[in-house]
Amino acid sequence: MDYSAANAALWNPIMQIGLIAVIILLANLLRRRIPFIRNTMLPVAVLGGFLLLVLKLVGIVHLDLPFLETLTYHGIAIGFIALSLRVPENTAEMKRDRVGLKSGAVIVGSYMIQAAAGLVITLALSYTVMPDLFKAAGILLPMGFGQGPGQANNIGSSYESMGFVGGRSFGLAIAAAGYLCACIVGVIYMNWLAKKGKLPQVKRHDKTEKVSLSIFQHEGELPVSESLDRLSIQVCLVIAVYLVTYLLTRGITGGLAAAAPGVANMVNSLLWGFNFIIGSALAIALRTILKKLRAAKVMEHQYQNNYLLSRSSGLAFDIMIVAGIASIEIEDLSGLMLPFILMVIAGAVVTLIHLKYVCAKVYPDYYYEGLLSMYGMMTGTISSGVLLLREIDPQLKTPAANNLVLGSSFGILLGIPLLILVTLAAKSALMCFVTLGIIVVYYLLLLAIVNSGRKRKQS
């Protein structure tokens, strides 16, 4: 075997991952040293993605776009599997108030109102000034804003195969703009609230996070003295679940192709595009099995470590974000700037309006913390939601941060109809209108969940 630089297959993955590693370190340095960048609260991974995109556009670095697409695709699944394997903390109080379910309704309701706004824009443009526009393109707004670059990449690529030229880059550009909305619009709105005297004035200081032994190792976990490194166990659990995810998805799609080719053509791309949901379900199933084995005294130790699983998911998501943004093909957006701009503006506005209403219902005791954290997540990621939250709740004393995590779990279940609508809308112009109608009806059902139960006045 040739181990020299002439063997591109051997060294190309290392070169591409090495570039991502260097750019993340550079982005972190810039964010810490330049006050303007730090004050924007732009996540390091997002900043790194934009830096790498600029370096690619000016010709300083050469990027292997298919490899970056691969990293983006696998990153979202690995990240969600790692999150789903974590052992849940005690959420008895939250379950009693049904905050988790209502938070899931808030999240999926945001998807629905984003999808409705996006479809209205693309349908209106397609019947007026842009007759060649892919009519279902508007549904990429919640994929990019609400679910991030991973799903924007998957659905955009699927739409490209259905005739939407530049669909993948369009979706990724929406996701990148979503981060800017989370950081810029979120910060502007937060400063406006502060000037109105509606927020507590909190002086924040950058402090090193202290990780105690109780956080790193819970009771019943494998001792550090075990021969197998604890991080290795977490990685093996995650990759093993992902392998089973692949085998199960392959089995389902293969069986459908043999038994019902028509159904297979409709759902196969959907199953592969949303494989992270199958992976998350399998991870939850494995977590439940391990818990029962411990309860039955068949297994002595708890193998999952929440701290390391969180760090593993963070690594996967950081790489996914950088790779996704860097792989945007700007030239693909040349004829799509009008719908892009309109959708980004609409997404930023309707998401805020929707959240102002529902957060007052669900989080009356910590309204602004719930509003800002949800806005950050529904236009960016959970990390941008926490970034905004920490500006007014630096110690995370309110349940707002936990609501993002617990709500996301319920959101996976409540969001299943959206996965069907994504495929349905792309079938024809008529199906776009049908999809829009279904979105409105489902949004009203989600509002019923938000409004259910006891009502309390906003504090």
Side-chain angles (χ1 to χ4, degrees):
M1 181 176 179
D2 181 12
Y3 297 106
S4 71
N7 189 342
L10 176 65
W11 287 107
N12 184 64
I14 301 300
M15 292 296 296
Q16 299 299 310
I17 294 175
L19 281 172
I20 292 175
V22 170
I23 212 69
I24 288 176
L25 293 174
L26 175 60
N28 183 63
L29 177 64
L30 293 175
R31 191 178 189 276
R32 293 189 62 84
R33 297 299 181 185
I34 301 178
F36 171 75
I37 295 178
R38 185 169 62 251
N39 291 336
T40 65
M41 297 194 301
L42 196 66
V44 170
V46 178
L47 177 59
F50 282 121
L51 288 175
L52 198 54
L53 177 62
V54 171
L55 292 177
K56 180 189 74 172
L57 293 176
V58 298
I60 295 178
V61 299
H62 172 72
L63 299 178
D64 184 344
L65 297 185
F67 182 75
L68 293 185
E69 292 175 27
T70 299
L71 288 178
T72 305
Y73 176 76
H74 291 310
I76 188 173
I78 291 173
F80 272 101
I81 289 171
L83 286 179
S84 300
L85 280 171
R86 296 184 306 175
V87 179
E89 303 291 342
N90 184 15
T91 56
E93 183 67 29
M94 299 179 74
K95 289 180 179 178
R96 185 157 56 245
D97 287 340
R98 298 204 305 164
V99 174
L101 175 61
K102 290 186 177 184
S103 295
V106 169
I107 291 170
V108 180
S110 301
Y111 296 160
M112 292 300 159
I113 201 164
Q114 289 169 352
L119 278 175
V120 167
I121 290 171
T122 52
L123 283 171
L125 290 176
S126 67
Y127 284 106
T128 53
V129 296
M130 298 183 68
D132 295 329
L133 179 64
F134 191 74
K135 293 178 175 59
I139 212 165
L140 284 172
L141 181 56
M143 296 295 108
F145 265 44
Q147 299 195 10
Q151 279 308 100
N153 174 78
N154 294 351
I155 302 304
S157 298
S158 176
Y159 279 6
E160 274 196 356
S161 66
M162 298 179 184
F164 183 19
V165 178
R168 178 182 169 277
S169 291
F170 185 78
L172 286 170
I174 291 287
Y179 287 115
L180 295 178
C181 287
C183 298
I184 297 175
V185 177
V187 171
I188 291 173
Y189 182 63
M190 182 169 53
N191 289 331
W192 180 82
L193 290 174
K195 288 181 179 179
K196 294 290 183 178
K198 297 182 178 181
L199 298 180
Q201 297 297 319
V202 179
K203 187 175 182 180
R204 299 184 66 246
H205 302 278
D206 289 333
K207 294 182 178 180
T208 302
E209 180 183 3
K210 295 182 179 180
V211 181
S212 63
L213 182 61
S214 63
I215 294 176
F216 184 73
Q217 179 173 344
H218 292 177
E219 183 179 356
E221 289 188 21
L222 283 172
V224 179
S225 59
E226 283 289 318
S227 60
L228 182 61
D229 186 84
R230 198 177 310 165
L231 177 59
S232 299
I233 294 176
Q234 313 310 309
V235 173
C236 288
L237 286 172
V238 171
I239 300 303
V241 171
Y242 198 26
L243 174 62
V244 176
T245 301
Y246 165 75
L247 295 174
L248 178 61
T249 308
R250 181 176 177 179
I252 293 173
T253 54
L256 285 175
V263 176
N265 291 334
M266 182 175 64
V267 303
N268 280 6
S269 61
L270 188 67
L271 289 173
W272 287 112
F274 287 90
N275 72 328
F276 77 96
I277 292 182
I278 299 175
S280 297
L282 290 174
I284 292 172
L286 176 60
R287 187 184 74 200
T288 303
I289 292 171
L290 294 177
K291 180 181 179 180
K292 291 185 178 298
L293 290 176
R294 283 198 70 203
K297 307 298 183 183
V298 175
M299 192 174 69
E300 181 180 357
H301 296 292
Q302 174 183 303
Y303 285 88
Q304 307 104 296
N305 180 279
N306 286 359
Y307 180 79
L308 292 178
L309 285 171
S310 296
R311 302 285 73 75
S312 300
S313 66
L315 172 63
F317 287 144
D318 284 341
I319 292 176
M320 176 200 74
I321 291 168
V322 174
I325 294 175
S327 62
I328 294 174
E329 293 282 14
I330 298 297
E331 56 269 22
D332 289 345
L333 300 177
S334 58
L336 299 170
M337 291 308 298
L338 179 58
F340 171 74
I341 293 172
L342 292 177
M343 284 171 60
V344 169
I345 295 173
V349 173
V350 301
T351 303
L352 182 58
I353 294 172
H354 159 74
L355 290 175
K356 286 182 68 176
Y357 172 75
V358 295
C359 289
K361 303 287 184 179
V362 181
Y363 316 121
D365 297 328
Y366 46 97
Y367 168 65
Y368 292 112
E369 289 87 349
L371 170 61
L372 288 170
S373 60
M374 277 292 176
Y375 186 79
M377 185 172 78
M378 296 316 305
T379 53
T381 63
I382 192 170
S383 62
S384 50
V386 173
L387 280 171
L388 290 178
L389 174 62
R390 280 182 169 167
E391 290 297 312
I392 58 174
D393 183 15
Q395 303 303 320
L396 301 181
K397 294 180 179 179
T398 67
N402 288 332
N403 292 342
L404 300 181
V405 178
L406 189 60
S408 296
S409 300
F410 282 94
I412 291 176
L413 298 176
L414 294 174
I416 289 176
L418 178 62
L419 312 186
I420 300 172
L421 296 176
V422 165
T423 302
L424 181 65
K427 295 297 181 182
S428 66
L430 175 61
M431 287 298 101
C432 281
F433 286 102
V434 171
T435 299
L436 187 58
I438 295 174
I439 286 172
V440 172
V441 172
Y442 194 53
Y443 177 71
L444 295 176
L445 292 175
L446 293 167
L447 285 186
I449 295 176
V450 167
N451 290 314
S452 64
R454 59 194 179 101
K455 296 182 180 180
R456 293 174 293 180
K457 291 182 180 181
Q458 179 183 327
S459 61

PDB file of all heavy atoms in Angstrom, residues 136-164:
ATOM      1  N   ALA A 136     -42.418  23.718  -3.539  1.00  0.00           N
ATOM      2  CA  ALA A 136     -42.307  23.196  -2.174  1.00  0.00           C
ATOM      3  C   ALA A 136     -41.070  23.709  -1.442  1.00  0.00           C
ATOM      4  O   ALA A 136     -40.837  23.328  -0.294  1.00  0.00           O
ATOM      5  CB  ALA A 136     -42.292  21.670  -2.197  1.00  0.00           C
ATOM      6  N   ALA A 137     -40.301  24.585  -2.082  1.00  0.00           N
ATOM      7  CA  ALA A 137     -39.058  25.065  -1.470  1.00  0.00           C
ATOM      8  C   ALA A 137     -39.295  25.740  -0.121  1.00  0.00           C
ATOM      9  O   ALA A 137     -38.429  25.729   0.748  1.00  0.00           O
ATOM     10  CB  ALA A 137     -38.351  26.041  -2.422  1.00  0.00           C
ATOM     11  N   GLY A 138     -40.469  26.310   0.061  1.00  0.00           N
ATOM     12  CA  GLY A 138     -40.753  27.028   1.298  1.00  0.00           C
ATOM     13  C   GLY A 138     -40.689  26.178   2.541  1.00  0.00           C
ATOM     14  O   GLY A 138     -40.418  26.681   3.643  1.00  0.00           O
ATOM     15  N   ILE A 139     -40.917  24.874   2.385  1.00  0.00           N
ATOM     16  CA  ILE A 139     -40.908  24.002   3.551  1.00  0.00           C
ATOM     17  C   ILE A 139     -39.488  23.767   4.069  1.00  0.00           C
ATOM     18  O   ILE A 139     -39.297  23.183   5.143  1.00  0.00           O
ATOM     19  CB  ILE A 139     -41.621  22.663   3.227  1.00  0.00           C
ATOM     20  CG1 ILE A 139     -42.303  22.119   4.490  1.00  0.00           C
ATOM     21  CG2 ILE A 139     -40.667  21.654   2.635  1.00  0.00           C
ATOM     22  CD1 ILE A 139     -43.307  21.018   4.216  1.00  0.00           C
ATOM     23  N   LEU A 140     -38.501  24.250   3.309  1.00  0.00           N
ATOM     24  CA  LEU A 140     -37.122  24.193   3.802  1.00  0.00           C
ATOM     25  C   LEU A 140     -36.875  25.210   4.917  1.00  0.00           C
ATOM     26  O   LEU A 140     -35.861  25.129   5.618  1.00  0.00           O
ATOM     27  CB  LEU A 140     -36.133  24.450   2.659  1.00  0.00           C
ATOM     28  CG  LEU A 140     -35.923  23.280   1.685  1.00  0.00           C
ATOM     29  CD1 LEU A 140     -35.086  23.732   0.489  1.00  0.00           C
ATOM     30  CD2 LEU A 140     -35.252  22.111   2.388  1.00  0.00           C
ATOM     31  N   LEU A 141     -37.785  26.163   5.106  1.00  0.00           N
ATOM     32  CA  LEU A 141     -37.600  27.152   6.167  1.00  0.00           C
ATOM     33  C   LEU A 141     -37.548  26.505   7.551  1.00  0.00           C
ATOM     34  O   LEU A 141     -36.607  26.756   8.306  1.00  0.00           O
ATOM     35  CB  LEU A 141     -38.697  28.208   6.097  1.00  0.00           C
ATOM     36  CG  LEU A 141     -38.621  29.340   7.130  1.00  0.00           C
ATOM     37  CD1 LEU A 141     -37.280  30.067   7.066  1.00  0.00           C
ATOM     38  CD2 LEU A 141     -39.768  30.337   6.932  1.00  0.00           C
ATOM     39  N   PRO A 142     -38.510  25.648   7.935  1.00  0.00           N
ATOM     40  CA  PRO A 142     -38.368  24.992   9.235  1.00  0.00           C
ATOM     41  C   PRO A 142     -37.230  23.987   9.287  1.00  0.00           C
ATOM     42  O   PRO A 142     -36.665  23.727  10.360  1.00  0.00           O
ATOM     43  CB  PRO A 142     -39.727  24.297   9.436  1.00  0.00           C
ATOM     44  CG  PRO A 142     -40.259  24.108   8.057  1.00  0.00           C
ATOM     45  CD  PRO A 142     -39.796  25.320   7.299  1.00  0.00           C
ATOM     46  N   MET A 143     -36.881  23.418   8.142  1.00  0.00           N
ATOM     47  CA  MET A 143     -35.755  22.487   8.129  1.00  0.00           C
ATOM     48  C   MET A 143     -34.453  23.211   8.476  1.00  0.00           C
ATOM     49  O   MET A 143     -33.611  22.688   9.213  1.00  0.00           O
ATOM     50  CB  MET A 143     -35.610  21.830   6.747  1.00  0.00           C
ATOM     51  CG  MET A 143     -36.775  20.966   6.324  1.00  0.00           C
ATOM     52  SD  MET A 143     -37.009  19.504   7.353  1.00  0.00           S
ATOM     53  CE  MET A 143     -38.490  19.990   8.239  1.00  0.00           C
ATOM     54  N   GLY A 144     -34.290  24.426   7.943  1.00  0.00           N
ATOM     55  CA  GLY A 144     -33.079  25.194   8.207  1.00  0.00           C
ATOM     56  C   GLY A 144     -33.124  25.934   9.525  1.00  0.00           C
ATOM     57  O   GLY A 144     -32.212  25.848  10.339  1.00  0.00           O
ATOM     58  N   PHE A 145     -34.234  26.675   9.768  1.00  0.00           N
ATOM     59  CA  PHE A 145     -34.362  27.453  10.996  1.00  0.00           C
ATOM     60  C   PHE A 145     -34.556  26.542  12.202  1.00  0.00           C
ATOM     61  O   PHE A 145     -33.829  26.614  13.181  1.00  0.00           O
ATOM     62  CB  PHE A 145     -35.567  28.401  10.878  1.00  0.00           C
ATOM     63  CG  PHE A 145     -35.203  29.788  10.418  1.00  0.00           C
ATOM     64  CD1 PHE A 145     -34.320  29.972   9.373  1.00  0.00           C
ATOM     65  CD2 PHE A 145     -35.741  30.904  11.015  1.00  0.00           C
ATOM     66  CE1 PHE A 145     -33.979  31.247   8.934  1.00  0.00           C
ATOM     67  CE2 PHE A 145     -35.427  32.188  10.600  1.00  0.00           C
ATOM     68  CZ  PHE A 145     -34.543  32.352   9.550  1.00  0.00           C
ATOM     69  N   GLY A 146     -35.586  25.708  12.135  1.00  0.00           N
ATOM     70  CA  GLY A 146     -35.956  24.921  13.299  1.00  0.00           C
ATOM     71  C   GLY A 146     -35.071  23.733  13.569  1.00  0.00           C
ATOM     72  O   GLY A 146     -34.831  23.378  14.720  1.00  0.00           O
ATOM     73  N   GLN A 147     -34.564  23.076  12.513  1.00  0.00           N
ATOM     74  CA  GLN A 147     -33.835  21.832  12.710  1.00  0.00           C
ATOM     75  C   GLN A 147     -32.359  21.905  12.339  1.00  0.00           C
ATOM     76  O   GLN A 147     -31.624  20.972  12.605  1.00  0.00           O
ATOM     77  CB  GLN A 147     -34.518  20.699  11.932  1.00  0.00           C
ATOM     78  CG  GLN A 147     -35.946  20.462  12.412  1.00  0.00           C
ATOM     79  CD  GLN A 147     -36.512  19.140  11.939  1.00  0.00           C
ATOM     80  OE1 GLN A 147     -35.806  18.294  11.399  1.00  0.00           O
ATOM     81  NE2 GLN A 147     -37.790  18.945  12.142  1.00  0.00           N
ATOM     82  N   GLY A 148     -31.915  22.992  11.733  1.00  0.00           N
ATOM     83  CA  GLY A 148     -30.485  23.186  11.532  1.00  0.00           C
ATOM     84  C   GLY A 148     -29.946  22.633  10.227  1.00  0.00           C
ATOM     85  O   GLY A 148     -30.687  22.081   9.400  1.00  0.00           O
ATOM     86  N   PRO A 149     -28.634  22.750  10.032  1.00  0.00           N
ATOM     87  CA  PRO A 149     -28.019  22.387   8.748  1.00  0.00           C
ATOM     88  C   PRO A 149     -28.111  20.916   8.393  1.00  0.00           C
ATOM     89  O   PRO A 149     -28.116  20.564   7.222  1.00  0.00           O
ATOM     90  CB  PRO A 149     -26.556  22.823   8.932  1.00  0.00           C
ATOM     91  CG  PRO A 149     -26.341  22.869  10.403  1.00  0.00           C
ATOM     92  CD  PRO A 149     -27.654  23.286  10.983  1.00  0.00           C
ATOM     93  N   GLY A 150     -28.188  20.034   9.385  1.00  0.00           N
ATOM     94  CA  GLY A 150     -28.271  18.605   9.085  1.00  0.00           C
ATOM     95  C   GLY A 150     -29.508  18.276   8.278  1.00  0.00           C
ATOM     96  O   GLY A 150     -29.439  17.663   7.204  1.00  0.00           O
ATOM     97  N   GLN A 151     -30.666  18.693   8.778  1.00  0.00           N
ATOM     98  CA  GLN A 151     -31.906  18.415   8.078  1.00  0.00           C
ATOM     99  C   GLN A 151     -32.056  19.265   6.821  1.00  0.00           C
ATOM    100  O   GLN A 151     -32.638  18.824   5.829  1.00  0.00           O
ATOM    101  CB  GLN A 151     -33.097  18.645   9.003  1.00  0.00           C
ATOM    102  CG  GLN A 151     -33.344  17.470   9.934  1.00  0.00           C
ATOM    103  CD  GLN A 151     -33.443  16.172   9.175  1.00  0.00           C
ATOM    104  OE1 GLN A 151     -32.487  15.409   9.118  1.00  0.00           O
ATOM    105  NE2 GLN A 151     -34.568  15.918   8.560  1.00  0.00           N
ATOM    106  N   ALA A 152     -31.550  20.506   6.866  1.00  0.00           N
ATOM    107  CA  ALA A 152     -31.582  21.344   5.662  1.00  0.00           C
ATOM    108  C   ALA A 152     -30.787  20.684   4.542  1.00  0.00           C
ATOM    109  O   ALA A 152     -31.185  20.713   3.371  1.00  0.00           O
ATOM    110  CB  ALA A 152     -31.012  22.729   5.978  1.00  0.00           C
ATOM    111  N   ASN A 153     -29.682  20.080   4.898  1.00  0.00           N
ATOM    112  CA  ASN A 153     -28.848  19.363   3.932  1.00  0.00           C
ATOM    113  C   ASN A 153     -29.594  18.150   3.378  1.00  0.00           C
ATOM    114  O   ASN A 153     -29.653  17.932   2.161  1.00  0.00           O
ATOM    115  CB  ASN A 153     -27.552  18.920   4.604  1.00  0.00           C
ATOM    116  CG  ASN A 153     -26.684  18.048   3.714  1.00  0.00           C
ATOM    117  OD1 ASN A 153     -25.996  18.521   2.829  1.00  0.00           O
ATOM    118  ND2 ASN A 153     -26.721  16.741   3.944  1.00  0.00           N
ATOM    119  N   ASN A 154     -30.207  17.357   4.270  1.00  0.00           N
ATOM    120  CA  ASN A 154     -30.870  16.128   3.842  1.00  0.00           C
ATOM    121  C   ASN A 154     -32.078  16.413   2.944  1.00  0.00           C
ATOM    122  O   ASN A 154     -32.222  15.826   1.873  1.00  0.00           O
ATOM    123  CB  ASN A 154     -31.325  15.325   5.065  1.00  0.00           C
ATOM    124  CG  ASN A 154     -30.156  14.809   5.879  1.00  0.00           C
ATOM    125  OD1 ASN A 154     -29.010  14.893   5.452  1.00  0.00           O
ATOM    126  ND2 ASN A 154     -30.440  14.302   7.061  1.00  0.00           N
ATOM    127  N   ILE A 155     -32.948  17.303   3.390  1.00  0.00           N
ATOM    128  CA  ILE A 155     -34.161  17.583   2.623  1.00  0.00           C
ATOM    129  C   ILE A 155     -33.832  18.373   1.360  1.00  0.00           C
ATOM    130  O   ILE A 155     -34.415  18.152   0.295  1.00  0.00           O
ATOM    131  CB  ILE A 155     -35.191  18.349   3.476  1.00  0.00           C
ATOM    132  CG1 ILE A 155     -35.526  17.529   4.721  1.00  0.00           C
ATOM    133  CG2 ILE A 155     -36.459  18.634   2.677  1.00  0.00           C
ATOM    134  CD1 ILE A 155     -36.019  16.127   4.429  1.00  0.00           C
ATOM    135  N   GLY A 156     -32.872  19.304   1.463  1.00  0.00           N
ATOM    136  CA  GLY A 156     -32.456  20.040   0.274  1.00  0.00           C
ATOM    137  C   GLY A 156     -31.904  19.118  -0.798  1.00  0.00           C
ATOM    138  O   GLY A 156     -32.205  19.271  -1.992  1.00  0.00           O
ATOM    139  N   SER A 157     -31.109  18.136  -0.385  1.00  0.00           N
ATOM    140  CA  SER A 157     -30.569  17.159  -1.343  1.00  0.00           C
ATOM    141  C   SER A 157     -31.683  16.322  -1.947  1.00  0.00           C
ATOM    142  O   SER A 157     -31.676  16.013  -3.146  1.00  0.00           O
ATOM    143  CB  SER A 157     -29.555  16.251  -0.635  1.00  0.00           C
ATOM    144  OG  SER A 157     -28.462  16.997  -0.143  1.00  0.00           O
ATOM    145  N   SER A 158     -32.668  15.942  -1.103  1.00  0.00           N
ATOM    146  CA  SER A 158     -33.805  15.167  -1.606  1.00  0.00           C
ATOM    147  C   SER A 158     -34.598  15.972  -2.624  1.00  0.00           C
ATOM    148  O   SER A 158     -35.004  15.445  -3.672  1.00  0.00           O
ATOM    149  CB  SER A 158     -34.699  14.769  -0.428  1.00  0.00           C
ATOM    150  OG  SER A 158     -35.861  14.105  -0.884  1.00  0.00           O
ATOM    151  N   TYR A 159     -34.792  17.270  -2.362  1.00  0.00           N
ATOM    152  CA  TYR A 159     -35.523  18.125  -3.301  1.00  0.00           C
ATOM    153  C   TYR A 159     -34.743  18.338  -4.597  1.00  0.00           C
ATOM    154  O   TYR A 159     -35.343  18.518  -5.661  1.00  0.00           O
ATOM    155  CB  TYR A 159     -35.840  19.470  -2.642  1.00  0.00           C
ATOM    156  CG  TYR A 159     -37.060  19.449  -1.738  1.00  0.00           C
ATOM    157  CD1 TYR A 159     -37.723  18.257  -1.466  1.00  0.00           C
ATOM    158  CD2 TYR A 159     -37.552  20.618  -1.171  1.00  0.00           C
ATOM    159  CE1 TYR A 159     -38.841  18.226  -0.654  1.00  0.00           C
ATOM    160  CE2 TYR A 159     -38.677  20.602  -0.346  1.00  0.00           C
ATOM    161  CZ  TYR A 159     -39.313  19.406  -0.094  1.00  0.00           C
ATOM    162  OH  TYR A 159     -40.417  19.388   0.716  1.00  0.00           O
ATOM    163  N   GLU A 160     -33.414  18.337  -4.496  1.00  0.00           N
ATOM    164  CA  GLU A 160     -32.606  18.460  -5.719  1.00  0.00           C
ATOM    165  C   GLU A 160     -32.902  17.300  -6.660  1.00  0.00           C
ATOM    166  O   GLU A 160     -32.985  17.478  -7.874  1.00  0.00           O
ATOM    167  CB  GLU A 160     -31.120  18.511  -5.372  1.00  0.00           C
ATOM    168  CG  GLU A 160     -30.611  19.898  -5.042  1.00  0.00           C
ATOM    169  CD  GLU A 160     -29.093  19.987  -5.086  1.00  0.00           C
ATOM    170  OE1 GLU A 160     -28.435  18.939  -5.300  1.00  0.00           O
ATOM    171  OE2 GLU A 160     -28.566  21.091  -4.905  1.00  0.00           O
ATOM    172  N   SER A 161     -33.031  16.085  -6.089  1.00  0.00           N
ATOM    173  CA  SER A 161     -33.319  14.911  -6.913  1.00  0.00           C
ATOM    174  C   SER A 161     -34.718  14.971  -7.513  1.00  0.00           C
ATOM    175  O   SER A 161     -35.029  14.243  -8.461  1.00  0.00           O
ATOM    176  CB  SER A 161     -33.164  13.638  -6.079  1.00  0.00           C
ATOM    177  OG  SER A 161     -34.146  13.573  -5.058  1.00  0.00           O
ATOM    178  N   MET A 162     -35.567  15.838  -6.964  1.00  0.00           N
ATOM    179  CA  MET A 162     -36.932  16.002  -7.477  1.00  0.00           C
ATOM    180  C   MET A 162     -37.055  17.194  -8.419  1.00  0.00           C
ATOM    181  O   MET A 162     -38.153  17.527  -8.860  1.00  0.00           O
ATOM    182  CB  MET A 162     -37.918  16.182  -6.312  1.00  0.00           C
ATOM    183  CG  MET A 162     -37.985  15.004  -5.377  1.00  0.00           C
ATOM    184  SD  MET A 162     -39.147  15.316  -3.998  1.00  0.00           S
ATOM    185  CE  MET A 162     -38.905  13.836  -3.020  1.00  0.00           C
ATOM    186  N   GLY A 163     -35.927  17.873  -8.691  1.00  0.00           N
ATOM    187  CA  GLY A 163     -35.952  18.949  -9.669  1.00  0.00           C
ATOM    188  C   GLY A 163     -35.662  20.340  -9.144  1.00  0.00           C
ATOM    189  O   GLY A 163     -35.674  21.301  -9.918  1.00  0.00           O
ATOM    190  N   PHE A 164     -35.402  20.483  -7.854  1.00  0.00           N
ATOM    191  CA  PHE A 164     -35.095  21.800  -7.286  1.00  0.00           C
ATOM    192  C   PHE A 164     -33.601  22.070  -7.436  1.00  0.00           C
ATOM    193  O   PHE A 164     -32.800  21.640  -6.617  1.00  0.00           O
ATOM    194  CB  PHE A 164     -35.516  21.842  -5.816  1.00  0.00           C
ATOM    195  CG  PHE A 164     -35.298  23.197  -5.155  1.00  0.00           C
ATOM    196  CD1 PHE A 164     -35.134  24.358  -5.896  1.00  0.00           C
ATOM    197  CD2 PHE A 164     -35.273  23.296  -3.771  1.00  0.00           C
ATOM    198  CE1 PHE A 164     -34.934  25.587  -5.291  1.00  0.00           C
ATOM    199  CE2 PHE A 164     -35.082  24.517  -3.144  1.00  0.00           C
ATOM    200  CZ  PHE A 164     -34.910  25.665  -3.898  1.00  0.00           C
TER     201      PHE A 164
END
